Amino acid sequence: LRLLTESGGGSVQTGGSLRISCSASRYNFVSNCMGWFRQVPGKEREAVAGIYTGDGTTDYASSVKGRFTITQDVGKNTVYLDMADLRPDDSGVYTCMADTKKGEGSGPYCYRRIAGGFGYWGQGTQVTVSS
């Protein structure tokens, strides 16, 4: 049984919206960093958003600020990424990540942890934005 399972990817036209979800099983992500990164073949992995589950604070890549929102449902052990005003360069495989380290944190700290790739990864879900 996979630790992190993403769902909700798909295809959308420019300007559209999508929600992707990440559910954690056999793992309690209280007081933890979680987030999303994306990857396109031939390009470096890019951290998109991070959330500190202890207080819900968040941080984002500058390329998605104001368009993407990361939220959590602690009771469901699920993190969501709501993406609006999507652009073709938002296309890629979006992967959920949960930090292996628990304790104090913040949105900006968790974003840096996501950027560093420190933790458990899901299998990824494809998001395709067509022009």
Side-chain angles (χ1 to χ4, degrees):
L1 190 64
R2 190 175 288 277
L3 191 64
L4 299 173
T5 303
E6 299 99 332
S7 61
S11 297
V12 66
Q13 291 190 323
T14 297
S17 301
L18 274 177
R19 164 178 269 199
I20 54 178
S21 304
C22 173
S23 296
S25 62
R26 299 180 295 115
Y27 186 82
N28 186 328
F29 61 74
V30 174
S31 297
N32 214 79
C33 289
M34 293 194 69
W36 297 87
F37 62 84
R38 65 188 179 191
Q39 193 152 23
V40 177
K43 292 188 178 181
E44 285 190 9
R45 186 180 71 232
E46 178 188 18
V48 173
I51 186 167
Y52 174 57
T53 63
D55 60 12
T57 54
T58 61
D59 201 10
Y60 301 88
S62 58
S63 59
V64 307
K65 271 184 182 174
R67 301 187 297 121
F68 290 15
T69 305
I70 185 170
T71 56
Q72 61 176 347
D73 185 330
V74 176
K76 293 183 178 179
N77 247 13
T78 300
V79 170
Y80 304 97
L81 186 68
D82 288 294
M83 303 178 287
D85 191 22
L86 283 161
R87 307 163 182 169
D89 59 4
D90 291 319
S91 297
V93 176
Y94 283 69
T95 301
C96 175
M97 209 196 85
D99 198 347
T100 54
K101 183 179 173 183
K102 292 181 180 289
E104 294 186 357
S106 67
Y109 170 79
C110 289
Y111 177 80
R112 292 193 296 274
R113 294 289 291 180
I114 299 302
F118 302 111
Y120 305 107
W121 296 11
Q123 83 284 1
T125 185
Q126 177 70 45
V127 172
T128 303
V129 185
S130 57
S131 57

